[in-house]
Amino acid sequence: MNASRFHTVGQALSVFCVAWSAQLAVAANPGQVASTASPAAGPHGDLIYTSLRTGSSQIFRIDADGARETRLTQSQHSELQPVWSRQGRIAFVSTRSGGGDIYTMDAQGGDLRQLTSRPGLEQSVAWSADGQHLAYIGETDGRAELRLIKADGTGDRLIAADMAEVGSPAWSPDGTKIAFNANVNGKLRVFVFDLVSGAITPAAEGKGGEFGPVWSPDGRSLVFVHSGSRTEGVNLRKVQLGSQTSVALTKDGYTNSQPQFSPDGSKLLFLSNASSQGSTMNVHVMNADGTGVVNLTRWEHADMGASWSDDGRYVYFMSFRDWPGQIYRIGADGQGLQRLTKSASQEGFPVGRPAATTVAAAARNP
């Protein structure tokens, strides 16, 4: 199977970028050496990631300080795209059944359940906040589809029919909406599917080249990636739900992608090569309104796949400063860089375990 088929539009952009300001009082400097010392206050949570150390992509879990590591999948096939639910269950894509189906397991790698058994490829899994449903991108006759399934594997159904290039599903915090990108009339745009009314509406004014939506923790706004002209670059934009008028958060001619809100909604984590003048991608953070941009990692080799810790005090990321790629942790203030994985194989795409917070509004059954 061609591995590139596992990448959504946003993931493909990240791979391309790899082949490719206000400052904090103490920022990560270019000559910084990874320290084995932990920051003064202990880290929160743990993280999952994929590793090639066994010859095929497998899923591992590691403590937030790197002290203890556990292999979660034990197959000879590719296990990809792991993602936490807030309740501590893990969904992922596996080729063990032939094509690429969705499975879930507990945080120890047990209680394995196969949710899908469709002939095409399933990918880009997203949990509802209550852990009762999953949205995902399925494939029928080579066509990507936005689908919904219950956590027990029942109720699999198609939504957003008659749309092309569907990808990047993201649940609203209250579980009543799903944002996603799709190509309609030749324009890639961000849409919102309302599970209560069944309506699908554009999230923003429709510039085209829109993808990778993420919700603010309060569910009132979306941030997405906008790929403009050669001079415009690839930038982040924000839209208040219902207004359809987006504002630019980054405005340079470089590549800015993969935004993630901090748990409290005050910051945005993202990847950018603006600080390197179009060269390597580094991990950046800024205020949610686009001010106070800081390059956290400042390195000549690419850093990618960044993820917040559950309390927003730390950032996990994959770095090629130790070829062929290892996982690091750094404080959200740019201090306390620490290498977490120490194998000779590629370790990538860490996902921090989210806090098991109470959902703002009870998720409703689709």
Side-chain angles (χ1 to χ4, degrees):
M1 178 177 291
N2 185 343
S4 67
R5 295 175 66 208
F6 281 94
H7 295 288
T8 63
V9 176
Q11 290 169 313
L13 176 64
S14 296
V15 172
F16 168 78
C17 293
V18 168
W20 5 295
S21 140
Q23 299 296 315
L24 291 173
V26 181
N29 75 60
Q32 190 171 12
V33 176
S35 169
T36 57
S38 298
H44 282 235
D46 49 5
L47 55 149
I48 49 177
Y49 60 95
T50 56
S51 173
L52 293 178
R53 71 184 72 174
T54 64
S56 62
S57 178
Q58 297 294 303
I59 300 170
F60 284 71
R61 191 186 82 242
I62 194 169
D63 289 353
D65 59 1
R68 183 178 57 183
E69 187 177 56
T70 304
R71 180 177 173 180
L72 299 183
T73 56
Q74 307 289 335
S75 80
Q76 301 299 313
H77 302 279
S78 294
E79 316 291 1
L80 304 159
Q81 299 182 3
V83 59
W84 288 105
S85 73
R86 287 194 176 275
Q87 293 71 33
R89 197 158 180 84
I90 300 166
F92 62 101
V93 177
S94 176
T95 64
R96 68 181 71 190
S97 51
D101 287 302
I102 297 170
Y103 289 72
T104 64
M105 60 184 171
D106 63 29
Q108 289 72 46
D111 191 24
L112 184 69
R113 303 177 191 177
Q114 181 178 350
L115 300 192
T116 65
S117 56
R118 294 168 46 78
L121 168 68
E122 279 75 67
Q123 59 176 320
S124 303
V125 188
W127 287 96
S128 61
D130 64 358
Q132 297 301 305
H133 297 84
L134 302 96
Y136 71 95
I137 303 301
E139 183 183 67
T140 299
D141 298 326
R143 179 185 177 88
E145 303 172 332
L146 177 59
R147 303 188 68 90
L148 209 56
I149 193 169
K150 293 182 180 179
D152 63 3
T154 64
D156 190 6
R157 67 185 178 96
L158 170 67
I159 56 178
D162 302 320
M163 288 182 164
E165 297 181 48
V166 180
S168 305
W171 287 84
S172 64
D174 67 359
T176 65
K177 299 176 179 65
I178 300 173
F180 64 99
N181 51 250
N183 191 319
V184 175
N185 298 324
K187 286 186 176 183
L188 190 64
R189 301 181 62 182
V190 171
F191 294 86
V192 175
F193 171 64
D194 189 310
L195 281 79
V196 178
S197 68
I200 297 176
T201 56
E205 61 269 37
K207 294 177 177 293
E210 304 166 359
F211 60 93
V214 295
W215 292 88
S216 61
D218 63 9
R220 296 177 181 176
S221 61
L222 286 165
V223 169
F224 59 90
V225 184
H226 173 242
S227 179
S229 66
R230 183 182 296 272
T231 56
E232 286 180 293
V234 180
N235 284 288
L236 306 182
R237 300 187 69 86
K238 184 177 183 179
V239 62
Q240 293 296 119
L241 196 64
S243 75
Q244 294 197 346
T245 301
S246 65
V247 296
L249 298 180
T250 61
K251 303 175 184 179
D252 55 65
Y254 299 104
T255 299
N256 304 276
S257 67
Q258 296 190 12
Q260 291 184 49
F261 277 96
S262 61
D264 66 2
S266 66
K267 302 283 186 180
L268 274 167
L269 183 66
F270 65 105
L271 302 182
S272 178
N273 62 5
S275 298
S276 61
Q277 300 299 294
S279 182
T280 55
M281 298 292 278
N282 284 170
V283 180
H284 289 63
V285 68
M286 64 181 171
N287 296 325
D289 62 2
T291 62
V293 178
V294 176
N295 181 348
L296 291 184
T297 58
R298 294 189 171 277
W299 196 251
E300 61 211 39
H301 300 291
D303 299 321
M304 60 188 299
S307 176
W308 289 102
S309 67
D310 61 353
D311 61 357
R313 293 171 53 209
Y314 300 91
V315 172
Y316 310 117
F317 64 97
M318 173 187 183
S319 177
F320 288 97
R321 65 190 71 194
D322 290 299
W323 187 258
Q326 296 293 309
I327 293 171
Y328 283 76
R329 187 190 74 195
I330 193 169
D333 59 359
Q335 301 186 67
L337 181 69
Q338 179 183 356
R339 178 175 167 177
L340 298 184
T341 57
K342 301 176 175 65
S343 81
S345 301
Q346 185 179 97
E347 319 287 352
F349 305 100
V351 181
R353 183 170 181 166
T357 54
T358 303
V359 182
R364 306 182 188 186
N365 268 342

